[in-house]
Each structure stands twice: as structure tokens, then as C-alpha cells.
Amino acid sequence: MGIRLSQIAKTYGRPGTPRALEPIDLEIASGELVGLLGPSGSGKTTLLRIIAGLEQADRDPAGTIHFGSRDVTEVHVRDRRIGFVFQHYALFKHMTVFDNVAFGLTVQPRGQRPSSGEIRARVHQLLEMVQLERFAQRYPAELSGGQQQRVSLARALALRPEVLLLDEPFGALDAKVRQDLRRWLRHLHDELNFTSVFVTHDQEEALELSDRVVVMSDGRIEQIDAPAALYRAPANRFVFEFLGDVNRLEGEVRDGALTCGEARLAVDLPEGPQELLLRPHELSLEAAPSAAAHLPMTVTAVVPVGAEVRVELAADWLAEPWLATIGHGDFERLDVRRGQRLYALPQRWHRFAAEGRPATQPSLA
Ligand code: ADP
Ligand code: MG
């Protein structure tokens, strides 16, 4: 079931106080898995709670929420057929895993409630799906954090919601468990074919899991796009900086080159002060400068763990250190060590005009 928000805004407290959410339009397709990504305080939870019906949107502007063709703006949370998962598992401590998952079904009104046999079958099926069948008779305290969160997922799915809402569902878990649970969620989402909206402040999580990501800041939507498109074509500087590590090069452009202290980079830009931004993988390291780039740097740290080698670099002409990610081949060829002098060769860079304006196309240096 698709979700359509039109002019949804939220002010906490008196009218006239700053809005937690500026009027937002958002359309989520049926079966989509959408991530709400943004720093703390950007309005993600507020937006999710409004979709859920746990929070009332402002009356001015008079926004609307549709689930499919149904206007649910004034529909109570209980009647929206939504599943929830929150960061803190909020399982009932005094109930077994089985009873936790069954709870939503057992408290349904008599007419709608499945028979106890059906409830049992459905709960077992759900526990099987999250691979916790063996734990049906345990209590939450007897499970790990990741297992408890899987119980929360099963519980949220017991009423067969068409919309699943998750607020930082993996936030309290350690990195490895978080990875596993992401795969879980993706798998369940694809298999059961509901529409999911999940909140996260973790870029990697949003990019890995979402069909589309809604990037938020200060109660506004900065960009909505598929992960690859977001990364390739950020709408503005905020999105670019929020989605990954950034190296900055500030200098003065004259005669086709940007200079900054002893550093120089050939560029085709208007004369005057300029700031270029580079991702760590958008530069290579060499033992000598090239004709186009003379960016001497000193290696301050090397982390050779993982698929790539992370090299931290410093220079007198830089206000902040840079980070380069290079292949293990280059790492060995250059024999990269702390204290070594190397030259950065940008393959591409990005430039953004004043706040909020679109990015210029990245160029090849
Ligand atoms: P996020 O989930 O992105 O961290 P929130 O939606 O929780 O952001 O918060 C957005 C803004 O609204 C913040 O400035 C926050 O302080 C404010 N806010 C959130 N909930 C309440 C509330 N119940 N009462 C007053 N202000 C709130
Ligand atoms: Mg939040």
C-alpha cells in the first residue's frame, strides 16, 4: 500500500514556535522500503510518528495523509494497520517470546480475533521466519539484544500490517548484529511485500537498506533519491557532506590553477576564492606530483584493515587533515608509512555554490 503525505507540518507547543517539521510532501510507493536519514533533531521521528498516527500534524497548513486511496489523516493509530518497531525493544518482560508475538492477536476484538489454533500457527510461522522458534518459551531477558529485536519484528508483523514503521530499530545493537538484522529486514520486506519506512541517522544503514532515501535536516527534506543517485548527484552541500567523508581544498584561482600555500591544482574555474570537496576514494597517492596537481602531503596514519587502506594525510597548507582510501596494490607499491611524503592526485572533485543551490558537475582534474 502506498503512502502519500501532502503538506504535513508539525509545531510542538504554541503556534508560532519554530516548526519541528516544515510542510512536507512525500510519496512512498507500495512495497517500497524507504529510509528517513538525517542528523539528530532533523524531524525523522516526528515524521514517522505522524505517519503512524501517534502524533497529530499541524492544522495549518491542513495537510493530508493517504494510505492507498484511503484518507487516514483523522484515522486513529489503532485503525491504520501499521506495524511498529522501536529502538528499545519494548517487549513485555513478564511474557514469553511466544506470548509477546501473539499479544496483538489475542487482544483483538472478539469478532476479528483468530482462533487460538490459528494464533498458535501464525506465531510459530513468524518465529520460524525470524529463526527464533526454539526460543518461543523463553523470556525477553534470556535473549540477546539482536534476538529481542527479531522478536519485536515478528510481533510487529503478527497483525499482517501493510505498513511497517521502524524508528532506529538497530540503533542499540553492536555493528555485527546490526548488519545481520539489516539483511533480515530486507529479506522479510521483500518476502512479505509490505511498505516500510525506517528512521536512521546512519548513512551506511540507509544507503544499504533503502530503495530510496529521504535525507532530512532541520525539519526539511533535502533530497529524495535512490542510494546510488544520492551518492552520485547530491542536490546540495548538506547531502554531500552528510553521506560520507569529505576532504576540503580551499584556495585562490588564478591563471587556470587553484593555489593554496605551496599546493597547486589545475582547474577550469572562474578566478577568485574557491572551495573544492573530494571524497577519500576520489584521489590517488603518488610518489611524485603530476603536471596538473602538486599537492604534497605527509602521511600521519595508515589503517591497512579491510578492503581498502585508509591513509590520513596532513599538510601545512591544509586546515584539516585529509583521508584517502587506496587499494592494497597501491599501498604495497608505494610502501606507505607514517611520516612519508606523498602527492595527492585528485581524479574528480565537487563544488557547491552557496547553501541550498544545486551542485556543479564534478570535473576531471
Ligand atoms: P529526529 O528523530 O530526527 O532526531 P525529532 O523528530 O525527534 O528528530 O525532533 C525534531 C525536533 O522536534 C527537535 O528539535 C526536537 O527537539 C523537537 N521535538 C521532538 N519531539 C518533541 C516533543 N514531544 N515536544 C517538543 N519538541 C519535540
Ligand atoms: Mg528520532
Side-chain angles (χ1 to χ4, degrees), residues 98 102-103 105-106 113-124:
F98 181 97
F103 180 76
L105 294 165
T106 57
R113 192 191 318 155
S115 71
S116 59
E118 277 170 62
I119 292 179
R120 212 172 314 120
R122 204 189 293 182
V123 172
H124 278 300

Side-chain angles (χ1 to χ4, degrees), residues 65-141:
I65 306 175
H66 284 80
F67 283 1
S69 57
R70 177 173 169 228
D71 185 340
V72 296
T73 314
E74 303 293 335
V75 172
H76 192 272
V77 50
R78 165 186 75 225
D79 300 318
R80 289 194 187 188
R81 297 205 53 174
I82 279 172
F84 290 107
V85 181
F86 298 105
Q87 175 169 348
H88 297 289
Y89 334 115
L91 295 173
F92 302 116
K93 290 186 174 50
H94 59 287
M95 287 186 193
T96 62
V97 165
F98 181 97
D99 290 337
N100 264 282
V101 176
F103 180 76
L105 294 165
T106 57
V107 299
Q108 281 195 306
R110 214 171 270 281
Q112 291 163 25
R113 192 191 318 155
S115 71
S116 59
E118 277 170 62
I119 292 179
R120 212 172 314 120
R122 204 189 293 182
V123 172
H124 278 300
Q125 189 200 357
L126 284 160
L127 287 177
E128 199 178 323
M129 229 160 49
V130 296
Q131 289 182 7
L132 285 172
E133 255 206 314
R134 310 186 279 127
F135 299 106
Q137 293 314 316
R138 288 214 191 166
Y139 287 87

Side-chain angles (χ1 to χ4, degrees), residues 71-339:
D71 185 340
V72 296
T73 314
E74 303 293 335
V75 172
H76 192 272
V77 50
R78 165 186 75 225
D79 300 318
R80 289 194 187 188
R81 297 205 53 174
I82 279 172
F84 290 107
V85 181
F86 298 105
Q87 175 169 348
H88 297 289
Y89 334 115
L91 295 173
F92 302 116
K93 290 186 174 50
H94 59 287
M95 287 186 193
T96 62
V97 165
F98 181 97
D99 290 337
N100 264 282
V101 176
F103 180 76
L105 294 165
T106 57
V107 299
Q108 281 195 306
R110 214 171 270 281
Q112 291 163 25
R113 192 191 318 155
S115 71
S116 59
E118 277 170 62
I119 292 179
R120 212 172 314 120
R122 204 189 293 182
V123 172
H124 278 300
Q125 189 200 357
L126 284 160
L127 287 177
E128 199 178 323
M129 229 160 49
V130 296
Q131 289 182 7
L132 285 172
E133 255 206 314
R134 310 186 279 127
F135 299 106
Q137 293 314 316
R138 288 214 191 166
Y139 287 87
E142 299 168 322
L143 301 178
S144 72
Q147 289 167 338
Q148 289 183 53
Q149 204 54 320
R150 271 148 59 195
V151 177
S152 301
L153 255 175
R155 186 179 61 174
L157 297 175
L159 287 169
R160 302 202 173 129
E162 290 180 90
V163 172
L164 183 65
L165 303 177
L166 310 101
D167 194 350
E168 312 244 6
F170 315 135
L173 304 169
D174 64 49
K176 175 71 178 75
V177 178
R178 223 159 53 210
Q179 271 283 348
D180 290 345
L181 278 176
R182 277 183 215 167
R183 249 172 263 133
W184 269 105
L185 176 60
R186 184 74 240 187
H187 177 77
L188 287 178
H189 173 93
D190 293 344
E191 188 169 299
L192 299 178
N193 196 35
F194 41 77
T195 305
S196 306
V197 185
F198 79 101
V199 163
T200 181
H201 63 269
D202 179 333
Q203 309 87 346
E204 202 184 293
E205 186 160 290
L207 296 176
E208 185 180 316
L209 200 49
S210 315
D211 295 320
R212 284 190 310 154
V213 179
V214 178
V215 184
M216 299 182 62
S217 85
D218 281 338
R220 287 186 180 77
I221 293 179
E222 298 284 349
Q223 188 169 359
I224 308 174
D225 242 320
L230 265 190
Y231 198 74
R232 197 175 49 238
N236 57 44
R237 186 185 178 118
F238 174 85
V239 175
F240 185 80
E241 294 198 326
F242 196 66
L243 286 190
D245 290 312
V246 174
N247 298 313
R248 258 169 262 284
L249 175 58
E250 272 178 275
E252 203 53 39
V253 175
R254 217 172 311 120
D255 302 328
L258 180 144
T259 56
C260 171
E262 60 172 321
R264 194 179 50 76
L265 177 67
V267 292
D268 182 14
L269 288 175
E271 307 236 315
Q274 291 286 356
E275 183 184 31
L276 309 184
L277 306 176
L278 298 89
R279 295 279 192 213
H281 65 269
E282 291 173 339
L283 52 106
S284 57
L285 297 175
E286 291 300 337
S290 73
H294 180 271
L295 303 170
M297 317 194 90
T298 304
V299 175
T300 54
V302 185
V303 185
V305 182
E308 287 169 320
V309 180
R310 292 164 63 90
V311 183
E312 282 172 33
L313 303 149
D316 292 343
W317 48 271
L318 277 181
E320 302 160 9
W322 277 20
L323 176 66
T325 47
I326 62 172
H328 284 273
D330 280 342
F331 171 60
E332 279 164 32
R333 176 175 60 84
L334 293 162
D335 188 20
V336 179
R337 277 163 292 115
R338 231 170 73 180

